Amino acid sequence: MKSPEFIAKFPMGKVPVLSSPSVDLFESSAIGFYAASAKENSPILGLTHIDKALIFQWVLFAESEISPNYREWVLPLRGIRPYVKPAVEGAADRLKRALGALNSVLETKTYLVGESVTYADICVAISLVNLFTFVLDKPIRDQFKNVTRYYTTLINKELFKKYLGERPLCETPLKYTPPKKEKKPAAVSAAPPTPKKEAAPAKKAQEEAPKPPPKPKSALDLLPPSPLKLDEWKRMYSNNDTDVAMKWFWENFDPEGYSIWKVDYKYNDELTQVFMSNNLIGGFFARLERAHKYAFGSMLVTGTNNNNAISGYFVVRGQEVPFEIYDAADYESYNFVKIEPSQYEEKKDEIYKYMAWEVDGFADGKVFK
């Protein structure tokens, strides 16, 4: 728990931070920039306005193209985040596209800007460290030979080694291993109890008295049972290709027990950076904690920075948007439009694309499950 004094200085409550008599800073890139600029006219930040702009460009590239996709791809494989197959595969594809662009730039360059290490190289190399450690094995490195040369050149420099230590390249990439189901311990057989000659009347009456039914925690628990088990669908979606999962979904979907909703963000014209739009989705999902038992959703960001939109589909228990969803603080920022059973056939392809993250202009997304 961060202290009030810490929050007053650093309102996001995250680390790393830098606290000094002259300035309090959060965000690692800003802290790095501050350290690099301590020496006036430091060549590490560029000596011309063109070099400064190019360095800033590559810092943003590391922050927006490498680091977020690393987190979406590798952290689920390390068990740090939930594994959602389309999200992991989408992040891997986006990161490989970024590496392809970087590879082209480095065709004729040793460093990104100029002829020596700059802050651009520091930021990009650091963002690549865990990728080369966990997932970029030799077959992948062979696709991006210029990036590999660039990375190994930097991490073998004395100052990089001082702070990073030895960094062996990945030999066997991480792969997802579904968690094993815990086995219930076998029941211990006990010797049959010695029968009592007579039971106490009060005890017998107590045993025969019916127990009151458990109180439902949600109005949705009072609905008639549905043949569709939502947890089973979530496992099917997480562990299979989307075409297999969606085939199962339509074969098992219960239109009486569940409903499908198209969800659109109301203020798309106010969205700016793609990663910020995706954070909005994450914030909305975080406030739907009580709905996990009753809902599943795939929400995507489509478009580009300063021209993007948020939309998606939800599968919900019952025929109305339940309290567990509409009570969320962010709910009023979204339009929920019910898809009627008569529309399922015409909407199947669109729903598939949202579940597979194959919508035109796809940029990022999150799954609620």
Side-chain angles (χ1 to χ4, degrees), residues 57 144 217 242 252 284 300 322 357:
Q57 166 189 277
F144 307 108
K217 295 180 181 177
T242 310
N252 292 273
F284 180 44
L300 309 183
W357 292 20

Side-chain angles (χ1 to χ4, degrees), residues 65-66 69-70 73 90-100 131:
E65 301 295 339
I66 299 178
N69 290 314
Y70 155 74
W73 178 10
D93 288 343
R94 292 193 296 278
L95 213 150
K96 288 173 185 175
R97 285 200 297 272
L99 292 178
L131 287 166

Side-chain angles (χ1 to χ4, degrees), residues 63-64 68 272-280 301 305 308 364:
E63 288 184 349
S64 59
T272 55
Q273 301 292 304
V274 166
F275 80 92
M276 295 173 69
S277 301
N278 206 43
N279 288 344
L280 277 179
V301 182
N305 288 337
N308 56 81
D364 212 339

Side-chain angles (χ1 to χ4, degrees), residues 303-352:
T304 57
N305 288 337
N306 300 312
N307 182 26
N308 56 81
I310 296 172
S311 59
Y313 275 92
F314 260 73
V315 177
V316 174
R317 184 74 165 104
Q319 299 302 314
E320 304 294 335
V321 176
F323 172 79
E324 286 77 3
I325 291 180
Y326 71 69
D327 187 52
D330 299 16
Y331 172 74
E332 293 300 328
S333 297
Y334 294 85
N335 277 322
F336 276 69
V337 177
K338 188 176 182 181
I339 307 300
E340 298 297 339
S342 60
Q343 299 174 279
Y344 288 169
E345 200 58 41
E346 81 175 83
K347 294 289 185 180
K348 267 187 181 180
D349 183 58
E350 182 176 278
I351 294 171
Y352 175 91

Side-chain angles (χ1 to χ4, degrees), residues 16-32:
V17 298
L18 171 72
S19 183
S20 74
S22 54
V23 67
D24 295 318
L25 292 173
F26 58 92
E27 293 296 342
S28 55
S29 293
I31 296 168

Side-chain angles (χ1 to χ4, degrees), residues 236-258:
M236 177 64 62
Y237 178 83
S238 296
N239 297 328
N240 293 277
D241 292 335
T242 310
D243 54 348
V244 174
M246 291 308 297
K247 182 175 184 293
W248 184 96
F249 176 81
W250 290 115
E251 288 173 352
N252 292 273
F253 185 68
D254 169 25
E256 294 181 2
Y258 286 84

